[in-house]
Structures are given as structure tokens and as C-alpha cells.
Amino acid sequence: MTLAELSLTGDLARPARLTVPDLLRWPQHRVRVAFECSTSGTQYHRFAGPRLYDVLSDAGPGFDPVRRKDRLRFLIAVTGSDGHHALLSWAEIDPDFAHAPVLLAVSIDDAALDRAGPQLVLPQDRCGARHISGISAIRVDGGYDWRQPVPATPGPGAVAAS
């Protein structure tokens, strides 16, 4: 059996490649979720897996210990094998801030996800728009320079000021 694998990259001391069996090393949490879908009605599921915070903390995010609240500038980009993307802030998952119970689910409705890969589950999201199936990559990024504001560039269809 071929196991799906996700890569942890970015501003991490210990980037890694993880499978569902690897994710079983962290404490497992269970959640019941109701996703309100506009096209198919409300979908109910049970998920189990480690918290995203625990897995990423073990990878050693590159927070600057000298900078106060440096964690707040870090973003987390999650990509699914189908190309679906979601973006979270570190503050959403950090226990010192929002402490959202975001999971890297290793099972759905008691079915193991070994071959399909873990799923990103945000129980607090009403419609499940940031739910990602078959996670292939997670990137932690604190690399933008907050001291150097980037000038806004007009988007398509913008009218130039005269």
C-alpha cells in the first residue's frame, strides 16, 4: 500500500515529510463537525488526528525570541493534492492567542486516511471552505519584512489617478 505524504517546509528548524502513521505519534483529538454546504446541505463528520499546532511546534518554527510576539507575523499555507489551498495565521492555532482546535485528521468517520493523506479540519469554520483533503504540503512563513511596507499596485481594471 502506498502511503500519502505531506511535506512541512518554510521557516522551520526541522522540515519533514510525514505520513498518516507518522501523525499518530502526537496526541490524538476527536471532533464532530457540521459543514453547512450551500449545494449539498449540512454534512456531518467525525475526525481524529493531532492538532496542527502540536505538529508545527515540533518542527521548530523560526520565531525570533528577542522580538515581542514574533509569532504573530507567521502564516501557514496548506495545499491539497487536488490543488485546493488554505491560509491560516499562527495566531489562530497558538494557545496564547485564538487557540483554534485545527486538526490534521488521520481518520474521517472512523476510516483511516493512510492512502488519501491527512485532512485539514477547522471545526470553527461553518461552511468548511478551508477544509483540505489529501494534504500534500504545509509551509510556515514568517519571511515578509514588516518594517518595509510594500506599495500597493493597482489590480486589473483599476483606474489610474490623475
Side-chain angles (χ1 to χ4, degrees):
M1 168 172 71
T2 303
L3 298 177
E5 198 173 62
L6 73 87
S7 63
L8 293 181
T9 62
D11 296 326
L12 300 170
R14 293 172 297 284
R17 298 192 68 75
L18 301 171
T19 62
V20 165
D22 294 330
L23 293 170
L24 292 171
R25 294 187 319 225
W26 285 273
Q28 301 295 296
H29 301 270
R30 298 186 185 292
V31 295
R32 290 181 182 267
V33 177
F35 293 132
E36 296 177 21
C37 304
S38 60
T39 56
S40 57
T42 303
Q43 305 291 314
Y44 298 94
H45 295 288
R46 295 179 321 278
F47 294 97
R51 290 207 169 141
L52 177 62
Y53 174 82
D54 295 338
V55 174
L56 294 182
S57 292
D58 277 358
F63 305 140
D64 183 345
V66 176
R67 287 181 53 195
R68 186 172 179 265
K69 298 181 188 174
D70 190 50
R71 298 169 286 170
L72 297 179
R73 69 183 173 94
F74 279 70
L75 301 174
I76 303 162
V78 181
T79 303
S81 55
D82 62 357
H84 191 167
H85 303 279
L87 189 63
L88 297 92
S89 70
W90 188 272
E92 283 182 85
I93 64 170
D94 193 306
D96 289 339
F97 300 100
H99 199 203
V102 178
L103 294 187
L104 291 176
V106 297
S107 70
I108 178 173
D109 300 326
D110 300 320
L113 294 168
D114 292 354
R115 293 182 69 193
Q119 297 185 8
L120 181 70
V121 178
L122 292 91
Q124 69 277 15
D125 283 5
R126 183 178 52 85
C127 69
R130 292 190 291 176
H131 177 263
I132 305 283
S133 297
I135 299 170
S136 59
I138 300 174
R139 179 169 178 76
V140 176
D141 191 348
Y144 67 92
D145 188 350
W146 59 272
R147 295 166 293 213
Q148 299 286 329
V150 177
T153 55
V159 178
S162 354

